[in-house]
Amino acid sequence: MRSKIVAGNWKMNLSQTEAKALCKEVNKLNIGSEIEVYIFPPMLYASDCKAISTRVKVGAQNAYPKDQGAFTGEVSMWQLKEAGMDSVLIGHSERREYFQEDNALLKQKLDSALAHGIRPFFCCGEPLEIRQDNSFLSYVKNQLEESVFHLSAAEFEKVVLAYEPIWAIGTGQTASTEQAEEMHAAIRSWVGEKYGKETAEKTSILYGGSCNPSNAQALFACENVDGGLIGGASLKAADFSVLVAEGTWTILN
């Protein structure tokens, strides 16, 4: 059975006081017994959240693939491990778009995370123009082929995949359940072609495009959607509580 995961990406939000308060609230939520919960706070607050967290895992929003060196402003996977981080986001659409991170760099980041025993949440997804010209399946497949599918089967089994329809992030739009299921099913089929059906069935694939309390139940009911990478709805404990509640998962995949 593959893991059911809800992960909150706080992005560049909250003060230190607000982050610690939210972390305390999240730790008090009624979390479904079969659901894994992760939070990705701003790096400055990650250690504070790690110290507070007893029921959720704490990860980093980004890291650099080199262990040490003259890379001003960066944090390495090795340093994340030293700080006790459980996981890291790799390939988030905002890192690709705003910081021009390409598939080659993301491959290096993925390798570094795995080398240091940090669970990678690898994000993939298409922008609006790719969705509109109907090349979105080949676009996302290429992202996986160039950054992920070089891994051995044993390495790949440690990776969580997250599909982000970029056109639905922060726009108020959300992929329909049919659109989400189509892409998630395609991703699982590509994993099966590369690593075999058994590995594909164990791979958690999260939806990451404006998932919130009003649409989570329908999205999580999709056969190939195993949870969500949550942005705005993770910044309010009341909203996040709906997403991690067992009752939201009408079908536990």
Side-chain angles (χ1 to χ4, degrees):
M1 181 181 293
R2 54 187 178 261
S3 298
K4 305 155 191 67
I5 299 171
V6 179
N9 177 16
W10 294 0
K11 305 189 180 183
M12 197 177 70
N13 291 298
L14 307 177
S15 67
Q16 184 178 36
T17 299
E18 291 169 335
K20 291 167 71 172
L22 178 57
C23 192
K24 289 176 182 177
E25 290 185 73
V26 170
N27 272 272
K28 296 176 183 177
L29 296 180
N30 181 23
I31 299 171
S33 59
E34 295 188 46
I35 301 168
E36 297 179 27
V37 178
Y38 289 76
I39 56 172
F40 295 90
M43 196 63 233
L44 280 173
Y45 314 145
S47 293
D48 288 332
C49 290
K50 181 69 177 180
I52 293 168
S53 297
T54 56
R55 302 181 63 214
V56 304
K57 297 178 181 179
V58 181
Q61 297 176 18
N62 182 45
Y64 197 67
K66 300 292 185 182
D67 284 355
Q68 300 184 68
F71 303 102
T72 301
E74 294 291 344
V75 175
S76 71
M77 301 289 180
W78 170 72
Q79 289 171 322
L80 293 186
K81 188 67 174 181
E82 286 285 298
M85 297 299 103
D86 298 294
S87 50
V88 63
L89 299 180
I90 295 174
H92 191 281
S93 60
E94 291 158 1
R95 297 299 309 180
R96 294 176 187 265
E97 181 180 1
Y98 303 149
F99 302 97
Q100 290 78 54
E101 294 190 357
D102 61 16
N103 291 338
L105 175 61
L106 300 178
K107 177 181 178 181
Q108 293 177 40
K109 289 189 175 190
L110 187 61
D111 289 345
S112 182
L114 291 169
H116 290 290
I118 296 177
R119 192 177 197 184
F121 282 59
F122 184 85
C123 305
C124 55
E126 79 282 3
L128 181 60
E129 63 271 19
I130 298 298
R131 168 59 62 167
Q132 290 178 332
D133 72 14
N134 289 317
S135 62
F136 51 90
L137 291 175
S138 60
Y139 184 91
V140 172
K141 186 178 184 181
N142 183 67
Q143 290 178 324
L144 295 172
E145 289 177 337
E146 293 193 356
S147 298
V148 181
F149 284 174
H150 67 287
L151 298 175
S152 68
E155 290 170 329
F156 179 79
E157 288 183 2
K158 300 171 184 176
V159 177
V160 176
L161 298 179
Y163 166 58
E164 300 179 306
I166 299 172
W167 47 272
I169 298 175
T171 64
Q173 298 186 66
T174 307
S176 67
T177 54
E178 292 79 13
Q179 289 171 320
E181 174 61 20
E182 177 188 27
M183 182 61 81
H184 281 237
I187 292 171
R188 200 174 306 283
S189 72
W190 301 327
V191 173
E193 291 170 6
K194 176 66 179 179
Y195 297 107
K197 183 176 180 180
E198 183 178 350
T199 295
E201 287 302 314
K202 291 191 296 185
T203 301
S204 295
I205 308 174
L206 313 185
Y207 174 79
S210 297
C211 184
N212 57 62
S214 66
N215 59 33
Q217 190 170 50
L219 287 165
F220 292 173
C222 294
E223 180 181 357
N224 288 289
V225 176
D226 305 308
L229 178 58
I230 314 301
S234 69
L235 296 174
K236 296 181 180 179
D239 289 345
F240 202 55
S241 68
V242 177
L243 304 179
V244 302
E246 191 113 30
T248 300
W249 298 70
T250 54
I251 298 176
L252 291 177
N253 298 321

